[in-house]
Amino acid sequence: LAETLAGGEESPLYRELVRDRRLALSGGAAIPWWTHHTNARGPDAFGIDVLLGEGASPEAVLQRLDAFLESLSRRGPGVAELTRAKTQLEFQWLHGLQFQLERARTLSSYAAVIGDPKGLSRDLAAMASIRRPEVALAMRRWLRGYARGVVQVRPVPPVPPSPEPPTPAVPAASP
């Protein structure tokens, strides 16, 4: 879902908010690190981050984001969008596993948490078999605005430098 929605400059989120509407400088989506794929219950959270463009109000961007998510959840991603996302995910997955230590960590996580290291291959195959209606259903189920928090991080105005302390007078030399 995260890769389909916001995986790079060709993603629907980037096109909508950055390229077409010019409301943002960047945008992304992710499942936070503490809710990893080996969590048997599934993800605990899903995050969308947007770096606003010059003059864009947070309220306007949030309103546009909600309308965009509603529209995309009704129609689902396009064939090319989903294919791009699945290709990216497969590359990231396999690229990470090319290193022996990471492969050992991932397989041991599957063995410890799920009870079967072969779950890794099954998960990769399951991810590759996801279809457009399933992504749309996931969006309708999890991205509809309920049970969400919105965090706005605003830059603090710069603090002016402290004035230079006065230089004490040099005492006159004694005779």
Side-chain angles (χ1 to χ4, degrees), residues 168-174:
V170 178
S174 20

Side-chain angles (χ1 to χ4, degrees), residues 12 15 68 70-78 81 132 136 140:
R15 279 195 321 266
F68 165 73
E70 181 66 32
S71 171
L72 190 60
S73 70
R74 277 195 309 271
R75 65 177 167 79
E81 293 167 345
R132 292 175 58 226
R140 286 191 301 276

Side-chain angles (χ1 to χ4, degrees), residues 38-119:
T38 55
N39 181 346
R41 294 176 298 128
D44 293 331
F46 184 83
I48 296 175
D49 61 273
V50 178
L51 178 61
L52 275 58
E54 183 79 29
S57 77
E59 296 76 20
V61 172
L62 188 57
Q63 183 178 19
R64 185 66 234 147
L65 178 61
D66 285 342
F68 165 73
L69 292 173
E70 181 66 32
S71 171
L72 190 60
S73 70
R74 277 195 309 271
R75 65 177 167 79
V79 173
E81 293 167 345
L82 185 57
T83 300
R84 178 198 50 77
K86 288 181 353 181
T87 301
Q88 279 295 105
L89 283 171
E90 183 178 12
F91 170 76
Q92 292 166 6
W93 194 312
L94 296 174
H95 183 267
L97 293 175
Q98 75 178 331
F99 302 103
Q100 191 172 17
L101 181 58
E102 186 57 34
R103 191 168 46 252
R105 283 182 183 152
T106 303
L107 289 170
S108 64
S109 291
Y110 269 88
V113 177
I114 296 178
D116 182 7
K118 293 178 185 171

